Amino acid sequence: MSEMSEKKEIVVSLQHVTKQFGSLTVLDDMSLDVYEHEVVVLCGPSGGGKSTLLRTINGLEKIGSGKILYRGTEVNHRNIKEIRKHIGMVFQQFNLFNNLTVRDNLLIAPVKTQKKKKDEMLKKAVEYLEIFGIADKLDSYPHQLSGGQKQRVAIVRSLMMEPDLMLFDEPTSALDPEMIKEVLDAIRRLSSMGMTMVIVTHEMGFAREVASRVCFLEGAKIRVNTDTKTFFEDTEDERLKQFLSVILHH
Amino acid sequence: MTFEDRYNIVVKTILVQGLPMTLKLIFASLFFAMLIGVVLGTVRSLKIPVVDQILGAYALICRGVPTIIILLFFYAYLTKGTQFWISVLSISLVEGAYMMEVVKGGFLSVDKGQWEAAKSLSLPLMHTITRIILPQVLLVTIPALMGQIVMLVKGTSVAATIGCMDTLRRAQLLLPKYSYPMEIYAYVLVIFFIMCHFLTWLGKKLERTVVKRIMGERNV
């Protein structure tokens, strides 16, 4: 946990963000600031808008009204491509490029988009793969990897862009129980490196351990947004108490 | 018929004169049909208004009319162009329409997560399509495309009807000279059978090797 100084810069600021799918409101006037080096966990029941909120941050979902600021700049359709280069995204279903080897999955964005030198990037890729214990998978295709390995490759793929912020959309929900730990360990490592992260997860034990702040989303609203200790031990919100009692003791 | 007659029919006429023309028809038509299929199939997958309706109409017409009628139509209508190129045009248009629909279907089978991952990495759209989506489309549609290619190979024989000197036409021209039509047609039949059977085998081989290596078992 990194709770150093009070005066930290805001990386992403969501201000009164609203979104509707037809007549269904999925994000109802949500506001959230994510500070540098912070790990913000979004949790809550299904359909609460967690994933949608996360996906608005890098423009995978358009917002109806409100605004999103990245490092003080309002995100719009003109600058979103540039801003995305600084935001890493890890998906529930990994979304590794199926037709490319691990090597090409890791190199395609930095080499093709950012025009960086291929051999330097390869060196970097290997370093990251070693850190995450999958250096021997460089020439494997995604289908040859386990779920946990795929997700770690997906994390490395994001890291190759040297992101300023990482978004995780239920990164362990599609994994077998014994693989969850290896992915959570990878995220813990990023946290210890001071990476700013927003994580949607149901792993409450993990949230308690790495989060600096936890938000409870329900009914398209952020019901609770508080520091981790208060969230788990000292909440006043009845609905959250009920949610925690079920999810922590199942 | 003597052995020499048969040698003249099979080797000198059908294999040396007819087959190269058939192969030229196959390769030229295949090139343009694939070009039409891949490019227009990609365009169709983007569902651009008006453009998509036009391409839909194209598919409807070319798949709903016998190739031979399209061929005769162009032969009557076009004053320029050799029989060869008019045949290539007709076959490419018809087979291209089928391939376009196969490729479009292939695009639908690619998980939208692939697009989202590319987007989140800021990959330009052209890169996303040419490096990630289209290769997967082609890999998963190999069986369907191979089936279509076999249809194309068989379909090139319509060129004989407008006098394109392919295998079939060469064989037909031999009929007045020899009185064994069944035997002569049988040679043509065997040649087409070998080509088509080879392609079917090649398709399966590709599926079991290349596709399996890259995409894994689930797509085979």
Side-chain angles (χ1 to χ4, degrees):
Chain A
M1 267 183 273
S2 48
E3 289 166 23
M4 295 181 296
S5 64
E6 288 300 304
K7 203 78 173 117
K8 278 190 211 160
E9 204 185 325
I10 297 176
V11 180
V12 160
S13 177
L14 297 139
Q15 300 179 353
H16 307 290
V17 170
T18 298
K19 181 181 175 67
Q20 284 164 324
F21 285 130
S23 61
L24 179 73
T25 303
V26 285
L27 303 178
D28 187 3
D29 192 19
M30 287 190 177
S31 294
L32 174 68
D33 290 336
V34 179
Y35 291 82
E36 218 163 324
H37 307 304
E38 217 180 17
V39 178
V40 176
V41 163
L42 308 179
C43 67
S46 300
K50 310 178 296 286
S51 288
T52 310
L53 183 68
L54 189 81
R55 289 159 58 88
T56 62
I57 295 175
N58 73 346
L60 287 182
E61 298 281 354
K62 288 194 184 113
I63 59 173
S65 63
K67 58 183 174 182
I68 298 172
L69 304 174
Y70 170 76
R71 296 269 180 200
T73 308
E74 185 172 349
V75 179
N76 56 42
H77 69 276
R78 286 185 301 278
N79 62 18
I80 183 65
K81 278 190 181 158
E82 196 48 46
I83 288 172
R84 277 195 193 117
K85 291 178 184 168
H86 307 286
I87 303 178
M89 176 96 181
V90 174
F91 300 87
Q92 183 178 351
Q93 297 295 339
F94 330 121
N95 296 349
L96 292 182
F97 301 129
N98 295 324
N99 59 316
L100 303 180
T101 58
V102 168
R103 177 202 308 264
D104 291 336
N105 263 281
L106 302 184
L107 295 186
I108 188 166
V111 176
K112 293 290 165 204
T113 311
Q114 300 185 316
K115 308 282 173 207
K116 290 189 176 162
K117 288 213 179 84
K118 199 173 174 182
D119 34 342
E120 278 172 30
M121 286 302 106
L122 183 60
K123 209 174 142 226
K124 191 166 143 188
V126 172
E127 279 170 18
Y128 275 127
L129 290 176
E130 273 166 7
I131 291 174
F132 292 104
I134 37 176
D136 56 326
K137 301 296 178 191
L138 193 62
D139 293 307
S140 301
Y141 282 97
H143 76 90
Q144 296 166 317
L145 306 178
S146 71
Q149 290 168 338
K150 281 183 200 170
Q151 198 60 301
R152 283 180 284 160
V153 171
I155 291 170
V156 173
R157 182 172 67 176
S158 287
L159 290 178
M160 290 298 291
M161 303 286 280
E162 286 169 1
D164 182 29
L165 167 71
M166 290 273 288
L167 309 174
F168 292 84
D169 188 5
E170 302 201 26
T172 58
S173 297
L175 296 176
D176 291 340
E178 65 250 58
M179 287 168 189
I180 290 176
K181 187 177 175 294
E182 58 192 55
V183 169
L184 294 184
D185 282 344
I187 302 173
R188 281 187 189 100
R189 188 177 282 272
L190 295 182
S191 156
S192 68
M193 285 154 62
M195 179 67 75
T196 311
M197 297 188 274
V198 183
I199 307 171
V200 173
T201 185
H202 297 292
E203 300 290 332
M204 299 315 285
F206 171 73
R208 197 167 185 163
E209 177 197 336
V210 301
S212 24
R213 208 140 49 83
V214 187
C215 298
F216 178 62
L217 280 74
E218 194 195 31
K221 283 186 174 295
I222 300 179
R223 274 186 78 109
V224 179
N225 172 4
T226 184
D227 66 277
T228 308
K229 193 170 173 356
T230 312
F231 187 91
F232 285 101
E233 291 165 20
D234 206 16
T235 181
E236 311 243 298
D237 189 277
E238 285 304 319
R239 180 65 188 93
L240 173 57
K241 277 185 190 168
Q242 190 196 345
F243 177 77
L244 287 176
S245 72
V246 174
I247 209 161
L248 290 177
H249 301 118
H250 72 96
Chain B
M1 272 203 289
T2 63
F3 177 79
E4 204 185 338
D5 286 340
R6 291 199 169 95
Y7 179 81
N8 284 338
I9 292 168
V10 175
V11 179
K12 285 192 173 167
T13 309
I14 294 181
L15 288 181
V16 173
Q17 297 182 313
L19 190 59
M21 177 52 100
T22 294
L23 292 176
K24 266 163 68 184
L25 280 169
I26 290 170
F27 286 115
S29 305
L30 186 59
F31 174 79
F32 290 110
M34 284 293 281
L35 194 68
I36 291 171
V38 170
V39 174
L40 297 187
T42 305
V43 172
R44 274 213 93 173
S45 76
L46 300 173
K47 295 201 177 78
I48 306 162
V50 186
V51 176
D52 200 45
Q53 275 78 32
I54 293 170
L55 294 179
Y58 159 60
L60 195 69
I61 293 166
C62 282
R63 298 197 302 170
V65 177
T67 314
I68 191 165
I69 294 174
I70 291 178
L71 178 72
L72 292 172
F73 172 82
F74 280 126
Y75 190 53
Y77 185 76
L78 296 174
T79 49
K80 284 188 180 150
T82 59
Q83 285 108 323
F84 172 75
W85 284 110
I86 290 172
S87 304
V88 169
L89 174 71
S90 311
I91 299 163
S92 308
L93 278 176
V94 172
E95 288 301 325
Y98 282 99
M99 288 185 187
M100 173 178 83
E101 296 300 275
V102 169
V103 170
K104 177 190 139 193
F107 267 91
L108 294 177
S109 76
V110 175
D111 187 74
K112 78 176 194 331
Q114 299 283 306
W115 290 94
E116 290 188 343
K119 226 175 176 182
S120 74
L121 290 167
S122 280
L123 278 185
L125 183 65
M126 272 311 278
H127 264 126
T128 306
I129 292 175
T130 58
R131 304 277 171 139
I132 293 159
I133 309 297
L134 197 52
Q136 292 187 40
V137 167
L138 295 178
L139 285 168
V140 301
T141 52
I142 278 180
L145 282 177
M146 269 307 190
Q148 218 49 63
I149 291 170
V150 169
M151 296 301 286
L152 181 146
V153 169
K154 292 196 280 184
T156 57
S157 54
V158 295
T161 56
I162 61 165
C164 191
M165 300 299 271
D166 71 339
T167 313
L168 178 59
R169 186 73 189 142
R170 292 279 179 193
Q172 285 177 323
L173 292 177
L174 292 173
L175 297 180
K177 200 173 160 196
Y178 305 97
S179 49
Y180 295 93
M182 248 179 79
E183 187 179 335
I184 292 173
Y185 281 133
Y187 296 135
V188 179
L189 190 147
V190 168
I191 286 172
F192 272 93
F193 179 79
I194 291 171
M195 286 193 294
C196 293
H197 191 72
F198 168 74
L199 285 168
T200 308
W201 171 84
L202 184 69
K204 288 212 175 99
K205 184 90 181 156
L206 280 174
E207 252 187 277
R208 287 200 206 104
T209 54
V210 181
V211 183
K212 188 178 161 191
R213 186 173 64 86
I214 296 175
M215 304 288 279
E217 201 70 59
R218 72 193 161 88
N219 284 300
V220 177

